[in-house]
């Protein structure tokens, strides 16, 4: 039984590693079809984007995100003049786009990385060895993505807990208000009973006078 369990675990790990293998592709950027390195991850778009940004920040580079409603390059993450020794000995512009793979697959993403040097696509000038290193760079992002995905899950759970705590606080406040209203009601009943008793006594006195007359 233990051997079977280990087999399934090993199979899962193997399939997971196979699913995160980079390959050469292309994507539209700057009004051109650009050669790129692409990879698919079994993680949400936000987790992948956060992992890329954090990784580059640790290397000393801040992201510039293409924005603007009419900007066809909107959503691309641009890292200018970056020196990533794991890929190349030269400085290059790394332009990255992470897309949700499909509307249904919210936990699957596709990443495309364009490498530019002197405003030109550098893929044609890179050696097969450097292209292999670029692919490895993206393959090796999985632990970073897992960490960022965990942080997102923690954040979501914190929000869920906070929402539940807020609901409980509302219910507790409502109970206090109801308890106060209930107490006020009991006090009002006591006062009304006393008033009724007093009014009945007055009524009886008036009736007594009628008998005497």
């Amino acid at each position: 039984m233990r051997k079977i369990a280990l087999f399934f675990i090993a199979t899962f790990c193997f399939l997971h590693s196979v699913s995160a293998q980079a390959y050469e592709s292309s994507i539209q950027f700057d009004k051109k079809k650009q050669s790129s390195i692409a990879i698919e991850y079994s993680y949400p778009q936000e987790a992948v984007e956060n992992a890329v940004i954090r990784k580059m920040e640790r290397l000393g580079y801040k992201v510039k995100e293409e924005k603007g409603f009419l900007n066809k390059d909107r959503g691309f993450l641009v890292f200018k003049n970056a020196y990533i020794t794991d890929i190349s000995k030269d400085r290059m512009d790394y332009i990255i786009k992470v897309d949700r793979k499909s509307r249904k697959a919210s936990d699957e993403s596709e990443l495309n990385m364009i490498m530019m040097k002197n405003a030109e696509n550098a893929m044609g000038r890179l050696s097969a060895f450097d292209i292999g290193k670029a692919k490895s760079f993206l393959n090796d992002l999985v632990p970073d993505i897992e960490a960022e995905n965990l942080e997102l899950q923690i954040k979501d759970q914190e929000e869920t807990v906070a929402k539940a705590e807020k609901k409980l606080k509302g219910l507790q406040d409502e109970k206090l208000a109801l308890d106060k209203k209930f107490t006020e009601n009991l006090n009002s009943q006591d006062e009304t009973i006393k008033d009724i008793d007093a009014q009945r006594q007055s009524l009886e006195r008036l009736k007594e006078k009628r008998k005497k007359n």
Side-chain angles (χ1 to χ4, degrees):
M1 190 71 180
R2 186 166 176 264
K3 289 183 179 179
I4 294 173
L6 290 172
F7 171 77
F8 278 114
I9 292 171
T11 302
F12 174 79
C13 293
F14 172 75
L15 291 174
H16 191 277
S17 64
V18 168
S19 66
Q21 292 296 311
Y23 54 92
E24 294 179 43
S25 184
S26 64
I27 189 171
Q28 194 78 12
F29 177 76
D30 193 25
K31 300 178 182 179
K32 298 176 185 176
K33 189 175 183 180
Q34 304 279 359
S35 297
S36 67
I37 304 293
I39 188 169
E40 295 176 5
Y41 297 110
S42 297
Y43 294 95
Q45 178 182 355
E46 187 177 1
V48 178
E49 286 181 344
N50 289 350
V52 171
I53 292 170
R54 301 287 184 274
K55 177 81 171 181
M56 295 303 287
E57 283 178 347
R58 288 195 295 272
L59 294 174
Y61 304 104
K62 290 187 177 181
V63 65
K64 175 191 173 187
E65 185 176 355
E66 293 286 346
K67 296 181 179 180
F69 183 73
L70 298 177
N71 185 0
K72 291 184 178 180
D73 295 333
R74 183 176 59 174
F76 278 85
L77 308 176
V78 181
F79 301 91
K80 287 279 189 181
N81 200 32
Y83 183 44
I84 304 178
T85 55
D86 288 343
I87 297 177
S88 173
K89 62 182 180 180
D90 298 325
R91 290 184 177 274
M92 290 190 288
D93 295 340
Y94 291 88
I95 301 158
I96 296 171
K97 183 70 161 56
V98 182
D99 291 302
R100 182 171 169 172
K101 195 172 178 182
S102 69
R103 289 184 179 180
K104 293 182 180 180
S106 61
D107 59 347
E108 294 183 12
S109 306
E110 181 182 42
L111 180 152
N112 273 274
M113 180 174 70
I114 303 168
M115 293 172 283
M116 306 277 288
K117 187 168 178 63
N118 299 324
E120 292 183 3
N121 195 299
M123 281 280 287
R125 287 184 283 169
L126 291 176
S127 66
F129 180 70
D130 284 342
I131 290 176
K133 289 201 295 182
K135 291 177 181 178
S136 295
F137 178 81
L138 296 182
N139 292 338
D140 295 342
L141 270 179
V142 172
D144 299 88
I145 297 170
E146 287 176 343
E148 292 299 330
N149 190 50
L150 177 60
E151 290 303 314
L152 290 174
Q153 290 175 336
I154 290 171
K155 182 181 176 182
D156 287 343
Q157 192 61 29
E158 286 175 342
E159 290 174 354
T160 299
V161 170
K163 186 177 179 180
E165 288 176 339
K166 184 179 179 181
K167 181 180 179 180
L168 176 61
K169 180 66 166 56
L171 291 170
Q172 289 172 335
D173 290 344
E174 185 179 351
K175 182 181 181 300
L176 287 174
L178 289 172
D179 287 346
K180 182 180 179 182
K181 190 173 181 180
F182 180 72
T183 301
E184 290 174 350
N185 182 277
L186 289 177
N187 292 335
S188 181
Q189 286 185 50
D190 290 340
E191 291 174 2
T192 303
I193 289 170
K194 291 176 182 178
D195 182 58
I196 289 172
D197 288 341
Q199 296 301 330
R200 279 178 176 169
Q201 290 176 14
S202 296
L203 177 61
E204 290 301 321
R205 284 194 295 268
L206 290 171
K207 287 182 177 180
E208 287 295 326
K209 287 182 179 179
R210 185 174 61 185
K211 290 179 182 178
K212 291 178 180 179
N213 293 333

